[in-house]
Amino acid sequence: MKKAEFHLALPCEDIQSTIDFYTYKLGARLGRNTDTWADIDLYGNQITFTKAGDFSFDFKSYRLGEQILPSFHFGVIIDVEAWGKLYSRLFSMDLEVTTETTFFENKVGEHLSFFVKDPNGYMVEFKSFKNPNEIFTA
């Protein structure tokens, strides 16, 4: 299968705080938008947030090795340089950056990972694989 950008549509509580988080804090680009929805360009992928009023998700978790991770999350795979810059940027903003760790250390699929919560309660994961050819290797 050829590489392709993804589109993800999610409800949000407040369009402006969502735009501010993704553009100013994560460094994403704002695309088309209105008072009730916004397209965010996150590393070439389109996330559409639509104002939906109150909504809730049960953030159930699971264990991967020694880490407890959120079951409901989405993320982006970026190179190690971009990963380090973003991690430092968010940490310096005093945001709650969680679960910064290396998964599958010294094994196939080894990668750095961290999570940050957006204003809507979504957990956004950023990964950087030691060997990008192992992203889908079993």
Side-chain angles (χ1 to χ4, degrees), residues 28-55:
R29 188 178 67 82
L30 177 62
R32 297 171 297 154
N33 64 90
T34 70
D35 291 342
T36 59
W37 63 270
D39 284 340
I40 302 293
D41 175 351
L42 186 63
Y43 294 97
N45 299 290
Q46 182 190 58
I47 304 174
T48 301
F49 289 98
T50 304
K51 185 172 173 67
D54 292 336
F55 62 93

Side-chain angles (χ1 to χ4, degrees), residues 106-123:
N106 299 316
K107 296 178 183 168
V108 173
E110 179 177 335
H111 63 276
L112 298 168
S113 184
F114 72 85
F115 292 83
V116 63
K117 188 182 285 191
D118 86 353
N120 304 293
Y122 296 119
M123 296 301 288

Side-chain angles (χ1 to χ4, degrees), residues 39-131:
D39 284 340
I40 302 293
D41 175 351
L42 186 63
Y43 294 97
N45 299 290
Q46 182 190 58
I47 304 174
T48 301
F49 289 98
T50 304
K51 185 172 173 67
D54 292 336
F55 62 93
S56 67
F57 294 98
D58 291 328
F59 285 106
K60 297 177 181 171
S61 58
Y62 69 99
R63 180 180 293 278
L64 180 60
E66 297 298 313
Q67 302 295 328
I68 303 295
L69 301 174
S71 295
F72 181 78
H73 67 274
F74 66 94
V76 180
I77 300 168
I78 54 180
D79 65 54
V80 72
E81 183 179 342
W83 188 94
K85 285 180 181 176
L86 182 59
Y87 179 82
S88 295
R89 177 182 172 159
L90 297 177
F91 193 78
S92 72
M93 290 181 184
D94 221 13
L95 291 174
E96 185 180 337
V97 178
T98 62
T99 320
E100 183 277 317
T101 192
T102 300
F103 290 106
F104 305 115
E105 193 164 10
N106 299 316
K107 296 178 183 168
V108 173
E110 179 177 335
H111 63 276
L112 298 168
S113 184
F114 72 85
F115 292 83
V116 63
K117 188 182 285 191
D118 86 353
N120 304 293
Y122 296 119
M123 296 301 288
V124 185
E125 180 180 16
F126 293 91
K127 292 182 177 187
S128 180
F129 280 78
K130 184 175 182 179
N131 180 347

